[in-house]
Amino acid sequence: MVSGEVDNWYLCVDSDGNLIWEKSYGGPFYDGGNAISLNNGEIQISGSREYASHRYESLVMRLNNNGDFLWQKSYMKQSFYYHPSSLHLALELQDGSIILEGTTTDNNSFFSQPIGVIMKISESGDSLWSRYYHLRSDDHYTWDLEELDNGDFLMSGYVIVTGK
């Protein structure tokens, strides 16, 4: 992969903090994401990347347990300047599928403002479904995702209140 201005950086260390491996991945601009370890030993990266100057899309990447690149997929592209689309949190379900959570301004954004999104993908990164959420016509950002005991999902974040 090409390296750019800001790349994803991943380190694996042992229980004493000694470096086992270190990798960076990225395109010509900004790339950023969060990592989780999957049950099969692979690593899921969820975040966003800048695909053109000031234009962002959500990105999911899969690495093997040595940090070597396996695949990546892009989903929602930003529709409005300075409001990037990002899937920054991920949870693995028992069947190996992944629930992703984040914020988007893609064409499904109802008010031309950032809205919350939850998405389910297969083990190979194929989109199974996505849902979009908003409370009012202001910016919506989701920042946390938890699976509840009954299998439901709890997302939290904030909405910007204007006009007060």
Side-chain angles (χ1 to χ4, degrees):
M1 301 188 97
V2 177
S3 61
E5 294 176 1
V6 178
D7 292 337
N8 285 301
W9 180 37
Y10 301 103
L11 301 96
C12 181
V13 299
D14 67 18
S15 59
D16 291 320
N18 299 308
L19 184 66
I20 298 171
W21 55 258
E22 173 181 26
K23 307 280 180 161
S24 68
Y25 296 102
F29 303 107
Y30 168 86
D31 295 88
N34 298 316
I36 64 170
S37 177
L38 302 175
N39 292 330
N40 66 2
E42 293 178 350
I43 300 162
Q44 173 85 36
I45 309 299
S46 307
S48 66
R49 73 172 168 192
E50 188 177 5
Y51 62 91
S53 183
H54 300 291
R55 303 298 289 177
Y56 295 84
E57 63 188 351
S58 58
L59 174 73
V60 173
M61 185 185 319
R62 191 68 61 93
L63 309 176
N64 68 17
N65 63 352
N66 293 316
D68 299 320
F69 178 82
L70 296 175
W71 57 259
Q72 75 178 19
K73 300 228 177 171
S74 298
Y75 301 99
M76 299 160 288
K77 288 186 183 279
Q78 141 194 12
S79 295
F80 308 103
Y81 196 67
Y82 290 120
H83 295 294
S85 291
S86 179
L87 295 166
H88 40 262
L89 287 177
L91 292 173
E92 182 181 20
L93 302 180
Q94 289 182 354
D95 65 359
S97 63
I98 304 288
I99 295 291
L100 300 161
E101 172 272 336
T103 300
T104 187
T105 59
D106 79 352
N107 293 329
N108 291 305
S109 186
F110 306 104
F111 303 112
S112 302
Q113 298 294 331
I115 59 175
V117 63
I118 190 170
M119 181 179 200
K120 184 176 184 180
I121 63 172
S122 69
E123 290 179 72
S124 60
D126 297 323
S127 175
L128 301 174
W129 55 258
S130 57
R131 307 285 186 269
Y132 302 88
Y133 304 99
H134 62 94
L135 179 63
R136 47 187 166 257
S137 61
D138 302 299
D139 294 9
H140 297 77
Y141 298 92
T142 56
W143 292 105
D144 199 13
L145 173 67
E146 296 291 330
E147 184 175 10
L148 303 176
D149 291 341
N150 66 0
D152 292 344
F153 300 98
L154 176 65
M155 298 176 3
S156 65
Y158 64 93
V159 60
I160 295 175
V161 181
T162 58
K164 286 200 167 213

